[in-house]
Amino acid sequence: MAVAPVVGLEIGTSKIVALVGELRDDGGVMITGMGERPSTGVRKGEIVDASAVEECIREAIVQAETMADVEIRSVYLGVTGSHIRGFTNHGVHPVVSADREITQDDVDDVVKNAKSVNLPAENSILHAIRQHFIVDGQLGVTNPVGMLGARLEVDVHVVHGNTNRIQNAVRAVKALQLDVDAVVFNGLAASLAVLTDEQKETGTLVIDLGGGTTNYVVCAEGIIKHTGTIAVGGDHVSNDLAFGLKVPLGRAESLKIELGTAVVDPASHGREVSFKPSASGFERLLNIEQLQMIMAVRLEETFELIADDIDQAGLLNYLGGGVVLCGGGARTPRIAELATDIFGVPVSLGRTNCINGIKAALDHPEFATAIGLTRFGSLQQRKPRTASPLAETFKSTITGLFRRG
């Protein structure tokens, strides 16, 4: 019997991407099909017009099916939005056996304690990612079963979001007679696509610069340490330009692509170019330095918000692997230079090295999330399938991907 394809589906503010992956005998995945459509009905990463989104998804799925020559019946769905939050919770369990040997039941109990969190009634857990154990004060224990100890502790990183807003995306997919195998936070998916094992160990911040949101993840010691989302993306840069330059939004977007940069170029001082604000308008002069300044201020603010959050989590000084940028915003000229100034560590553009297949998809940072969703699915398909896409069933896969040992 043929193995079902693994499909990652990203519903983004600017685009909807479906990637089809084929499981390989060596445990990897080969990208065999890709569908991409500009998205309508999505704002700041969340659905605001269900019917418009459904049509965009349908077109992307059909394109991916045609390229891969398969029938898509289910997807691994990526989600984002300002409602998604992450925090780390601590669990403690006394070892009560007579010989003080830690058993699997003890591990299950301490993880259960750590997952007992008080969430708002309207929220659900997307991921509960187990971190390292502590046995009688000994840190960094990856598998305590068989060890001797009186006190077992563990941290679990919980990613959660508004149930209804997540379900809006799920319902848009199911309206097309497609199943949702799992729901995955886009930031985690992007990290799966671009991080090497070494970067996971030494401490690396992944920033996924999307059209309507920016997701970020810190991975260190082989585990997820921190996650976050801010409702600021490339569209906000375009909006700033439209307001500051007094041009239509569409023209601001094109000027951003043609002349924009993340750092003001001293050579642009006093430079002007003539352009038409609209097809029917008169030509006028544009100050290039002003355009670059508007962009730089917004992007600098975005990075500073992330840096402040990482600093509050006590992780800003633990980025030995630097910062990795992905998403469409990573294409902005000199953005790595700006990020280096803010974070004070080396910054690189995210490249996927975990999947083979269509070169056009693998070479662009804006496809990192979709590729990560496909990788997640390839590993999830090798495990027993779960009943609910919103249940806490991602721990084993996510933990396995971000931990050694």
Side-chain angles (χ1 to χ4, degrees), residues 205 216 218 226 304-319 343:
L205 167 63
Y216 52 98
V218 176
H226 191 73
E304 286 180 341
L305 286 171
I306 297 172
D308 288 344
D309 185 40
I310 300 301
D311 190 31
Q312 289 180 17
L315 298 170
L316 194 57
N317 295 323
Y318 293 90
L319 301 180
F343 294 100

Side-chain angles (χ1 to χ4, degrees), residues 5-8 18-22 30-34 64-65 68 70 72 374:
V6 180
V7 182
L19 286 186
V20 180
E22 178 183 313
M30 173 77 72
I31 301 295
T32 59
M34 172 181 169
E65 285 181 325
V70 297
I72 295 175
T374 307

Side-chain angles (χ1 to χ4, degrees), residues 11 13 15 23 54 61 66 68 73 103 111 120 142 151 163 169 217 242 257 278 347 357 367 369 382:
I11 303 175
T13 304
K15 69 183 184 310
L23 297 178
E54 289 168 15
I61 291 291
T66 301
R73 297 183 178 181
T103 67
V111 171
T142 57
R151 180 184 173 92
T163 305
V217 171
I257 296 172
S278 62
V347 177
F367 297 117
T369 294
R382 303 178 193 279

Side-chain angles (χ1 to χ4, degrees), residues 4-64:
V6 180
V7 182
L9 177 65
E10 177 191 4
I11 303 175
T13 304
S14 59
K15 69 183 184 310
I16 290 176
V17 179
L19 286 186
V20 180
E22 178 183 313
L23 297 178
R24 301 185 310 187
D25 293 338
D26 64 359
V29 61
M30 173 77 72
I31 301 295
T32 59
M34 172 181 169
E36 180 187 8
R37 285 291 183 269
S39 62
T40 57
V42 182
R43 184 171 181 269
K44 295 184 179 181
E46 299 183 51
I47 294 175
V48 295
D49 185 336
S51 61
V53 172
E54 289 168 15
E55 179 60 22
C56 294
I57 295 173
R58 185 191 66 78
E59 293 176 356
I61 291 291
V62 169
Q63 186 181 16

